[in-house]
Amino acid sequence: MTSSSQHSPGEPLVPNVKQALTRTERELLLQIIPDRIPAHVAIIMDGNGRWARRQGFIDRIRGHEAGSQSVREAVGTASELGMKTLTLYAFSTENWQRPAAEIKALMLLLEKFLREKIGELNENNVRLIASGRISDLGPKVVRVLNHAIDATSANTGLTLNLALSYSWRAELTDAARRIAAEARNGTLDPDAITEADISARMYHAELDDPDLLIRTSGEMRISNFLLWQIAYTEIYVTPVLWPDFRRRHFYEAALDYQKRERRFGKETRR
Ligand code: IPE
Ligand code: IPE
Ligand code: MG
């Protein structure tokens, strides 16, 4: 990719934006430096319930429905910006404690998304993968999910990683079980275990760690998301509720990220 200085004013920095942009979006996009776009963005998509309440809906599910449109837009924006991976926290292991009707509605929405968006994912060259205790989702959702994963597996653009029945403690527990089993089999020497060995046993070890973690709706917490992988991730919390999170907000997050000085524990450079 080229640096921003080589672009003439008025020319979009990222040429493959298909959408007609508003003036604000265009102005923000023009400030984004292509070679400083975060390669892997992870999003804690929070605030659907609050959005529903603020809109006057009694049913929180209306917020989840509205949030599906934000997912579509975030996937489109991430792929237009040339990001490599977008990890979306869609359902946590703790979310199983929600009322049965809400869980059912969330599973139906997930199924609907997976059934209806395969064409769009393929058009955008997006490859779908999933992280979490996937079998918890039940055979029907698993079947639809696996179909979507297979149908998009040859795509070479953005990798969309859906965190489903995911929590980091569950991921760590699953990794610990694998490590213990390998130690018992004699295929892994307990005294020689390295950080790389642990990383290799996470759900999708092939993914680079996130560069940027976005949390919508203002909560200053991680809620059991990717704790191993976000050791040096830049964090961006926005008060915008997930159903209101639009392309412009994603651009703002990317712009905030490109101002950060990532140090990884080394000396300051400015
Ligand atoms: C995020 O929105 C969606 C899921 C956790 C599935 P919430 O449902 O948590 O919305 P708030 O936080 O109650 O507003
Ligand atoms: C985090 O949101 C999980 C997802 C976005 C899927 P929650 O709403 O479940 O998190 P808490 O309860 O506010 O920490
Ligand atoms: Mg929440």
Side-chain angles (χ1 to χ4, degrees), residues 116-191:
E116 291 177 1
K117 300 298 172 233
I118 293 177
E120 199 170 307
L121 294 177
N122 281 331
E123 271 165 37
N124 289 309
N125 197 19
V126 177
R127 180 176 75 106
L128 180 73
I129 60 171
S131 295
R133 290 189 170 161
I134 300 305
S135 59
D136 292 353
L137 301 170
K140 198 161 155 244
V141 179
V142 170
R143 210 167 34 245
V144 180
L145 177 64
N146 284 337
H147 174 68
I149 290 173
D150 288 347
T152 61
S153 62
N155 292 334
T156 54
L158 178 76
T159 295
L160 172 61
N161 178 24
L162 287 186
L164 294 165
S165 195
Y166 176 88
S167 80
W168 185 69
R169 287 186 179 176
E171 182 171 32
L172 177 63
T173 304
D174 291 349
R177 286 181 185 155
R178 287 175 63 187
I179 289 168
E182 289 170 50
R184 189 179 50 207
N185 297 340
T187 50
L188 191 66
D189 173 4
D191 294 325

Side-chain angles (χ1 to χ4, degrees), residues 17 19 21 25 73 77 80 246-251:
V17 174
Q19 214 79 14
L21 298 181
E25 287 167 348
E73 194 161 323
T77 307
E80 286 165 3
R246 299 272 75 91
R247 166 187 306 276
R248 152 171 83 90
H249 303 112
F250 208 162
Y251 289 165

Side-chain angles (χ1 to χ4, degrees), residues 8-20:
S8 51
E11 281 299 306
L13 295 185
V14 181
N16 57 340
V17 174
K18 294 175 191 147
Q19 214 79 14

Side-chain angles (χ1 to χ4, degrees), residues 13-34:
L13 295 185
V14 181
N16 57 340
V17 174
K18 294 175 191 147
Q19 214 79 14
L21 298 181
T22 64
R23 194 178 162 166
T24 313
E25 287 167 348
R26 200 175 165 75
E27 279 167 6
L28 289 167
L29 184 60
L30 283 168
Q31 293 172 55
I32 296 177
I33 302 168

Side-chain angles (χ1 to χ4, degrees), residues 44-46 89-92 95 98 215 221 223:
I44 303 174
M45 309 184 289
D46 197 19
Y89 203 4
F91 194 85
S92 73
N95 291 150
R98 293 196 178 197
R215 182 167 186 145
R221 58 174 173 257
S223 302

Side-chain angles (χ1 to χ4, degrees), residues 30-246:
L30 283 168
Q31 293 172 55
I32 296 177
I33 302 168
D35 55 13
R36 295 194 70 179
I37 288 170
H40 182 174
V41 176
I43 308 184
I44 303 174
M45 309 184 289
D46 197 19
N48 296 353
R50 274 162 282 180
W51 184 90
R53 201 168 54 232
R54 280 183 207 172
Q55 299 290 316
F57 297 124
I58 297 158
D59 199 345
R60 295 167 50 79
I61 291 159
R62 298 295 287 268
H64 299 314
E65 285 166 1
S68 302
Q69 179 55 30
S70 305
V71 170
R72 267 190 79 201
E73 194 161 323
V75 173
T77 307
S79 73
E80 286 165 3
L81 288 176
M83 288 171 183
K84 206 170 147 197
T85 310
L86 178 67
T87 295
L88 298 179
Y89 203 4
F91 194 85
S92 73
T93 53
E94 288 78 13
N95 291 150
W96 291 112
Q97 295 163 53
R98 293 196 178 197
E102 184 175 354
I103 294 173
K104 191 164 175 224
L106 281 164
M107 291 303 135
L108 282 172
L109 274 173
L110 172 64
E111 235 189 280
K112 186 169 159 23
F113 178 87
L114 295 169
R115 283 188 200 281
E116 291 177 1
K117 300 298 172 233
I118 293 177
E120 199 170 307
L121 294 177
N122 281 331
E123 271 165 37
N124 289 309
N125 197 19
V126 177
R127 180 176 75 106
L128 180 73
I129 60 171
S131 295
R133 290 189 170 161
I134 300 305
S135 59
D136 292 353
L137 301 170
K140 198 161 155 244
V141 179
V142 170
R143 210 167 34 245
V144 180
L145 177 64
N146 284 337
H147 174 68
I149 290 173
D150 288 347
T152 61
S153 62
N155 292 334
T156 54
L158 178 76
T159 295
L160 172 61
N161 178 24
L162 287 186
L164 294 165
S165 195
Y166 176 88
S167 80
W168 185 69
R169 287 186 179 176
E171 182 171 32
L172 177 63
T173 304
D174 291 349
R177 286 181 185 155
R178 287 175 63 187
I179 289 168
E182 289 170 50
R184 189 179 50 207
N185 297 340
T187 50
L188 191 66
D189 173 4
D191 294 325
I193 292 172
T194 61
E195 288 188 7
D197 290 326
I198 297 174
S199 287
R201 283 151 187 90
M202 296 292 151
Y203 292 137
H204 277 286
E206 77 281 10
L207 301 178
D208 293 330
D209 290 343
D211 299 292
L212 174 66
L213 171 69
I214 299 173
R215 182 167 186 145
T216 59
S217 87
E219 309 293 352
M220 297 286 186
R221 58 174 173 257
I222 301 299
S223 302
N224 216 349
F225 193 38
L226 302 175
L227 281 152
W228 174 269
Q229 296 88 338
I230 62 167
Y232 273 103
T233 297
E234 297 296 325
I235 298 176
Y236 179 86
V237 177
T238 170
V240 175
L241 304 175
W242 179 250
D244 291 328
F245 191 84
R246 299 272 75 91

